[in-house]
Amino acid sequence: SGQHRVPRATAQLLAPVGDPEKVICVGLNYHDHCQEQGAKVPKEPLIFSKFPSAITGPFDDIVHPQDTSELDWEVELAAVIGKRGRHIEEAAALEHVLGFTVANDVSARDWQMRRNGRQWLLGKTFDTFCPLGPAIVTREAVTDVHNLWIRCSVNGQRMQDSSTRHLIFGVPALVAWVSRFVTLVPGDVLLTGTPAGVGVFRKPPVFLKRGDEVQCEIEELGTICNRVV
């Protein structure tokens, strides 16, 4: 009716999925990201996870933990599951996807790469390490999810600028692969990996500091922007 609208500036936009059963992530899934670190292209998807408590809103703050000095950014395409399934065939995998959103897979590189036995979980799952949003764009509304530009800027400086066409494993392949091991349920979030341009592989490395502003954007899906505090 148009009679019950509030100005955007007066509303706090929350993450479009607040408490999923699972947040599933994929590492080394862009060809250019493999190249920037001299890593071999994986033959199978590299799967890890974040706890759902890492999720925060699209414009909320990222809390810089005292436990790390190597805080990094990773813009990612996230798929949101809409239909339950196990052992999903790749040809039918997109039928299980409700839609897509923008994510930042914030990472404490010291914990990811050197500490905790070099298992990735702790370095990836501090509170606020998964900004998500600004909305879920339904699958049918996205022209071609495997041909979208994907970018990240820090304090207005472009750090990542790539395309989802550089994904090694596309969304159907990832959904089918993960469903071999776990049952996917509505609301599960699948982060599909990040392209080249992360801070840790720059020469010299660049890490986030308190006061920095990180903007992640994907064509047709929108923009999230988070301040580091």
Side-chain angles (χ1 to χ4, degrees):
S1 67
Q3 297 177 7
H4 303 283
R5 296 185 179 182
V6 296
R8 172 67 188 87
T10 67
Q12 179 187 5
L13 200 59
L14 304 180
V17 181
D19 188 24
E21 182 178 289
K22 295 183 284 296
V23 180
I24 304 160
C25 308
V26 186
L28 294 176
N29 199 33
Y30 277 79
H31 288 281
D32 54 5
H33 186 48
C34 291
Q35 291 169 0
E36 74 173 340
Q37 57 187 290
K40 293 182 179 179
V41 173
K43 295 182 179 179
E44 296 175 336
L46 194 165
I47 304 297
F48 62 100
S49 67
K50 290 177 177 279
F51 293 131
S53 54
I55 291 177
T56 193
F59 305 108
D60 291 342
D61 292 338
I62 296 168
V63 177
H64 191 311
Q66 295 182 351
D67 297 283
T68 182
S69 58
E70 298 182 1
L71 194 66
D72 207 348
W73 58 84
E74 292 191 5
V75 60
E76 305 208 6
L77 167 75
V80 180
I81 299 299
K83 178 182 175 183
R84 183 183 185 93
R86 178 83 194 276
H87 299 296
I88 300 167
E89 295 292 334
E90 187 171 334
L94 283 180
E95 298 174 13
H96 291 261
V97 175
L98 169 67
F100 303 97
T101 193
V102 182
N104 185 353
D105 177 16
V106 182
S107 306
R109 299 300 188 188
D110 38 6
W111 284 94
Q112 178 191 0
M113 296 179 169
R114 296 190 302 279
R115 302 187 66 176
N116 194 41
R118 292 189 291 181
Q119 296 187 52
W120 291 11
L121 177 65
L122 288 184
K124 294 284 191 174
T125 203
F126 283 90
D127 289 352
T128 74
F129 270 27
C130 190
L132 207 62
I136 299 171
V137 180
T138 57
R139 182 184 75 246
E140 296 83 1
V142 178
T143 306
D144 180 0
V145 74
H146 299 111
N147 190 25
L148 304 174
W149 54 252
I150 178 171
R151 297 169 180 162
C152 177
S153 299
V154 177
N155 300 328
Q157 180 179 352
R158 186 68 50 79
M159 295 298 191
Q160 293 178 279
D161 192 348
S162 189
S163 170
T164 58
R165 68 176 179 268
H166 298 306
L167 281 164
I168 296 167
F169 302 101
V171 175
L174 293 173
V175 170
W177 176 261
V178 172
S179 75
R180 290 173 56 176
F181 305 93
V182 296
T183 300
L184 294 174
V185 300
D188 283 350
V189 180
L190 174 61
L191 275 60
T192 59
T194 199
V198 297
V200 69
F201 296 122
R202 292 178 173 268
K203 296 180 181 179
V206 177
F207 296 113
L208 295 170
K209 307 178 299 298
R210 293 178 181 88
D212 286 346
E213 186 175 85
V214 186
Q215 179 171 296
C216 296
E217 52 184 335
I218 301 178
E219 184 179 7
E220 298 186 18
L221 304 186
T223 301
I224 64 176
C225 189
N226 307 90
R227 186 169 177 267
V228 181
V229 298

